[in-house]
């Protein structure tokens, strides 16, 4: 290895370890009067940009309600899904509110608040599809679209090992491919698929079935992602989630998006 390369490698490693140290640093003395929130902005109805470029969606409204409850000033930034966790770790934002499931693999990298919703996955197919059930046999050799680096892509591969699971950078891209006949099925959260199927763009397709949410893949529901060590912010957010659930704010927000309870079952008493 040449000397210049050695110095470059040493510098890179030093930066890596320094970044890790920052990510693990306690926030006990931090004044959380301002919080930067990261979201994707491409996952309707949970988070999306409207025609004027304004962030909207269930995730966004819940985040704003939590900020109001905590009496902190919040700003939002958008981030591509597959770079979401690195961006959080690098300090691009403080809290990740982007419909991210709390899974053991992700908990190795970042911390999470308590869940703020939990809905099942589902699969959709073209209206003229001959597929009648969501089984590996029925989907053998079929092309299934899902968003990259999501629990849905992981579940599709696990549930339908005989299928051709294709991963897309955004949900919008797999939707375009099934609308144009390049996919046999798509898999995502039932709410996301239902919202799409009600739109003109989703007129091509129908919901085939909801699917079991394997806890080994889907974890404990959807939570807010945080850097490890930001325990003070986690407590603030956990308390705020409980408060907006208690005072009716959560119910008001969810009723403006859904006609059913998206929070899911309460955890069993320990």
């Amino acid at each position: 290895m040449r000397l210049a390369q050695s110095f470059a490698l040493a510098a890179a490693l030093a930066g890596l370890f320094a970044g890790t140290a920052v990510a693990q640093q306690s926030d006990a003395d931090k004044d959380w009067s301002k919080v930067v929130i990261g979201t994707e902005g491409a996952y309707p109805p949970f988070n999306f940009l409207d025609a004027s470029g304004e962030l909207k969606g269930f995730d966004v409204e819940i985040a704003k309600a939590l900020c109001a409850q905590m009496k902190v000033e919040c700003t939002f930034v958008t981030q591509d899904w597959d770079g979401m966790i690195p961006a959080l770790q690098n300090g691009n934002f403080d809290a990740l509110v982007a419909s991210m499931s709390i899974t053991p693999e992700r908990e190795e990298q970042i911390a999470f608040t308590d869940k703020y919703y939990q809905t099942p996955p589902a699969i959709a197919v073209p209206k003229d599809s001959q597929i009648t059930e969501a089984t590996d046999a029925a989907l053998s050799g079929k092309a299934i679209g899902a968003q990259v680096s999501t629990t849905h892509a992981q579940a599709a591969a696990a549930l339908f090992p005989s299928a051709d699971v294709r991963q897309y950078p955004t949900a919008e891209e797999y939707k375009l491919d099934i609308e144009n006949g390049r996919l046999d099925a798509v898999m995502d959260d039932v709410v996301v698929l239902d919202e799409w199927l009600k739109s003109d763009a989703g007129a091509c397709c129908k919901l085939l079935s909801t699917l079991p949410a394997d806890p080994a893949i889907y974890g404990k529901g959807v939570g807010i992602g945080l850097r490890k060590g930001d325990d003070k912010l986690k407590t603030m957010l956990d308390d705020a989630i409980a408060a907006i659930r208690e005072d009716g704010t959560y119910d008001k927000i969810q009723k403006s998006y859904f006609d059913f309870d998206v929070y899911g079952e309460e955890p069993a008493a320990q």
Side-chain angles (χ1 to χ4, degrees):
M1 180 182 292
R2 289 180 293 180
L3 186 60
Q5 292 175 316
S6 299
F7 282 133
L9 177 59
L13 290 172
L16 174 63
F17 290 125
T20 302
V22 170
Q24 301 296 328
Q25 186 176 343
S26 171
D27 68 339
D29 298 324
K30 185 172 177 63
D31 172 21
W32 285 113
S33 59
K34 295 182 178 181
V35 178
V36 181
I37 294 173
T39 194
E40 184 184 12
Y43 195 59
F46 293 104
N47 58 79
F48 60 94
L49 294 167
D50 67 10
S52 66
E54 184 179 354
L55 270 171
K56 296 288 184 68
F58 180 73
D59 287 333
V60 178
E61 295 303 316
I62 288 293
K64 288 179 177 178
L66 295 176
C67 292
Q69 178 66 38
M70 297 187 297
K71 296 180 172 59
V72 302
E73 178 185 337
C74 288
T75 55
F76 289 81
V77 298
T78 56
Q79 168 66 49
D80 289 345
W81 174 260
D82 57 0
M84 198 71 74
I85 288 177
L88 172 66
Q89 292 172 321
N90 289 336
N92 294 19
F93 44 83
D94 304 306
L96 189 168
V97 189
S99 289
M100 182 171 281
S101 297
I102 307 165
T103 67
E105 293 81 7
R106 289 171 180 158
E107 286 183 301
E108 291 178 3
Q109 303 176 70
I110 61 174
F112 282 94
T113 63
D114 295 336
K115 76 169 187 179
Y116 65 95
Y117 82 84
Q118 187 169 24
T119 49
I123 193 161
V125 296
K127 284 182 175 176
D128 61 357
S129 175
Q130 299 304 304
I131 301 169
T132 59
E133 57 184 8
T135 63
D136 186 46
L139 289 160
S140 179
K142 304 297 184 183
I144 303 175
Q147 188 173 3
V148 69
S149 301
T150 62
T151 49
H152 302 300
Q154 185 180 350
L159 290 169
F160 312 115
S162 303
D164 173 17
V165 178
R166 301 178 185 176
Q167 299 191 38
Y168 292 77
T170 69
E172 295 307 311
E173 289 170 84
Y174 76 60
K175 291 173 185 175
L176 284 173
D177 265 11
I178 195 169
E179 289 162 21
N180 290 303
R182 291 188 286 269
L183 288 172
D184 300 298
V186 294
M187 185 167 169
D188 210 322
D189 186 283
V190 65
V191 175
V192 171
L193 292 179
D194 185 59
E195 184 83 0
W196 166 60
L197 293 172
K198 290 176 181 175
S199 71
D200 291 341
C204 63
C205 301
K206 64 184 179 182
L207 195 70
L208 178 64
S209 175
T210 55
L211 299 163
D214 183 352
I217 295 175
Y218 284 96
K220 312 167 194 173
V222 170
I224 297 171
L226 304 168
R227 287 182 292 273
K228 289 191 175 184
D230 282 355
D231 300 330
K232 181 178 177 180
L233 182 57
K234 171 177 162 50
T235 298
M236 289 169 61
L237 284 163
D238 282 341
D239 290 347
I241 291 170
I244 67 169
R245 293 265 307 148
E246 179 68 24
D247 69 12
T249 301
Y250 183 97
D251 193 48
K252 182 179 179 180
I253 293 170
Q254 77 164 352
K255 282 181 176 177
S256 68
Y257 288 93
F258 317 115
D259 56 7
F260 60 95
D261 180 17
V262 295
Y263 185 77
E265 295 181 2
E266 294 284 358
Q270 297 297 312

